[in-house]
Amino acid sequence: MRICIVLIIMLSAWLIPSANARTLVVGINESFQIIQEAIREANLHDTVLVRPGLYAQHSIVIDKPLHLIGEGKPQLDAKHQAVELFVVMADSVVIEGFTLQNVGVSFLKELAAIKVRQGHYGSIRNNEIINCFFGVYLEYATHYQVVNNYIVDQADDEASAGNAIHVWKGDYLEITHNTLSGHRDGIYLEFVNNSQIHHNQSYRNLRYGLHFMFSNNDAYSANEFRENGAGVAVMFSREIRMQHNHFSHNWGGASYGLLLKEISDGEISGNYFVRNTIGILAEGANRIIIKKNQFSLNGTALDMKGNSLDNEVLANNFLANTFEVVTNSQNNNNHYERNYWSGYVGYDLNRDGSGDEPYRPVNLFARITDQIPAATLMLHSFFVSLLEFSERIFPTIIPATLTDQYPQMQPYAYDQN
């Protein structure tokens, strides 16, 4: 018992700010000119205030709970060397208000402007990180916040590009209100659980705007993903909630708004998919609820491969997509109900809001172009119309059971706010 009390007191001294905390000032005319020296002299939970200016300093190690504040966005410049600027190796560290730039590329080390190693209960906020290999890199971090950072690069190819925010093993993280551009991935999460990603803008990244690998029980909401190689990839994960995001202008031969690969038990609701090559591409996605989303002007709205089982597609708007649903199987193990399909031309004699005839959203010509891309030259031709008509009367290729029994006559009015 006595040992436990001693441990609690020691832990409290480490984590809880002291009422006698000091402020150590760094600047040309201040007591400290070198940031690392101020950190060395600081006590637990002191504040290190860095005055405006250009500091050619790097590899700054923070090994105790501290609050580092940049006044007027002081610049730390790595001058394209293969070094890191801040390395955090303690709990309860806050870094805010800096401009960090020019961390060089390394093909052996994942160099970052700010790297956190086994840090907990910390925060990285209100920084500008420009032209750095990796922006913020967390490994074995829990209860961490990455908030309102502007992280941009101008990488030309994936091989020489890092990620704007990269997490390797994390729990209870919050990544919010960041602007991320020009990296390989905007946000990359591997073995990250119980975390929230919301209100970020991720655009013009070479690969994905957001990328999950082997992560569970996370949520991302109210983010914008546009003009990336692809919007979001959720892979080998389960119970991911995806709500109220915008996926737009993710164009390319192998691009899409959202990729689901080997995931299960998630929810996709309230999102907008606009002008993507494919809105959602699902491979091995099981028990996913897809509801109240809007798919507009995409090449293909929903590409659901035959190995995706027991999914629910409910009350979505499908508006003016070239192809609404594509699948590569004659069997259907998913449920479609009460969606609005702009391609539906049925009627509603009893005026209950649903079409009197079921709707089959799978397009035979989409199956053909999936196998023979050059066949797109025949899009909207009389021959294709005749082919579609014949397939609907005598289905032999597309799954006969893939129907919406209650297609809506009017699109849903979703609240975009």
Side-chain angles (χ1 to χ4, degrees), residues 99-124:
T99 297
L100 310 174
Q101 58 194 32
N102 299 328
V103 170
V105 173
S106 170
F107 294 103
L108 299 176
K109 299 179 181 178
E110 295 179 330
L111 301 170
I114 302 175
K115 180 168 283 185
V116 177
R117 293 176 172 163
Q118 300 191 23
H120 314 287
Y121 299 98
S123 178
I124 297 168

Side-chain angles (χ1 to χ4, degrees), residues 334-351:
N334 304 298
H335 180 65
Y336 295 77
E337 186 174 317
R338 299 192 185 282
N339 300 285
Y340 174 78
W341 310 91
S342 59
Y344 182 65
V345 292
Y347 42 83
D348 179 20
L349 294 179
N350 61 3
R351 299 185 182 279

Side-chain angles (χ1 to χ4, degrees), residues 220-281:
Y220 67 91
S221 60
N223 301 284
E224 181 178 0
F225 306 103
R226 58 181 166 84
E227 300 178 77
N228 298 287
V232 176
V234 184
M235 309 172 77
F236 305 100
S237 302
R238 59 179 168 81
E239 297 190 16
I240 306 294
R241 296 184 305 282
M242 308 164 237
Q243 300 171 318
H244 307 295
N245 301 285
H246 282 246
F247 304 81
S248 64
H249 297 277
N250 298 293
W251 281 108
S255 190
Y256 29 77
L258 171 59
L259 168 65
L260 308 175
K261 189 173 182 63
E262 303 299 333
I263 79 164
S264 62
D265 301 300
E267 179 179 315
I268 302 169
S269 61
N271 301 283
Y272 284 79
F273 298 87
V274 182
R275 293 186 182 278
N276 302 285
T277 303
I278 300 174
I280 298 178
L281 172 60

Side-chain angles (χ1 to χ4, degrees), residues 181-334:
S181 180
H183 289 77
R184 182 173 57 202
D185 291 346
I187 303 172
Y188 178 86
L189 307 175
E190 188 164 356
F191 299 107
V192 175
N193 303 321
N194 306 305
S195 296
Q196 304 283 330
I197 298 92
H198 58 94
H199 293 94
N200 300 284
Q201 290 196 36
S202 187
Y203 60 93
R204 296 179 184 170
N205 294 288
L206 298 175
R207 192 170 62 176
Y208 303 123
L210 170 63
H211 188 181
F212 288 88
M213 291 289 288
F214 310 111
S215 298
N216 305 319
N217 300 302
D218 299 312
Y220 67 91
S221 60
N223 301 284
E224 181 178 0
F225 306 103
R226 58 181 166 84
E227 300 178 77
N228 298 287
V232 176
V234 184
M235 309 172 77
F236 305 100
S237 302
R238 59 179 168 81
E239 297 190 16
I240 306 294
R241 296 184 305 282
M242 308 164 237
Q243 300 171 318
H244 307 295
N245 301 285
H246 282 246
F247 304 81
S248 64
H249 297 277
N250 298 293
W251 281 108
S255 190
Y256 29 77
L258 171 59
L259 168 65
L260 308 175
K261 189 173 182 63
E262 303 299 333
I263 79 164
S264 62
D265 301 300
E267 179 179 315
I268 302 169
S269 61
N271 301 283
Y272 284 79
F273 298 87
V274 182
R275 293 186 182 278
N276 302 285
T277 303
I278 300 174
I280 298 178
L281 172 60
E283 297 181 347
N286 303 314
R287 300 184 298 280
I288 309 296
I289 296 174
I290 302 172
K291 67 178 183 181
K292 297 183 178 179
N293 303 285
Q294 182 153 305
F295 299 84
S296 305
L297 302 170
N298 299 284
T300 297
L302 178 59
D303 188 343
M304 186 82 76
K305 301 301 185 188
N307 60 352
S308 296
L309 309 175
D310 302 323
N311 299 293
E312 302 275 346
V313 183
L314 312 170
N316 301 282
N317 284 332
F318 291 85
L319 303 172
N321 303 285
T322 302
F323 301 120
E324 292 168 328
V325 177
V326 170
T327 183
N328 60 351
S329 173
Q330 288 184 265
N331 300 313
N332 173 52
N333 296 289
N334 304 298

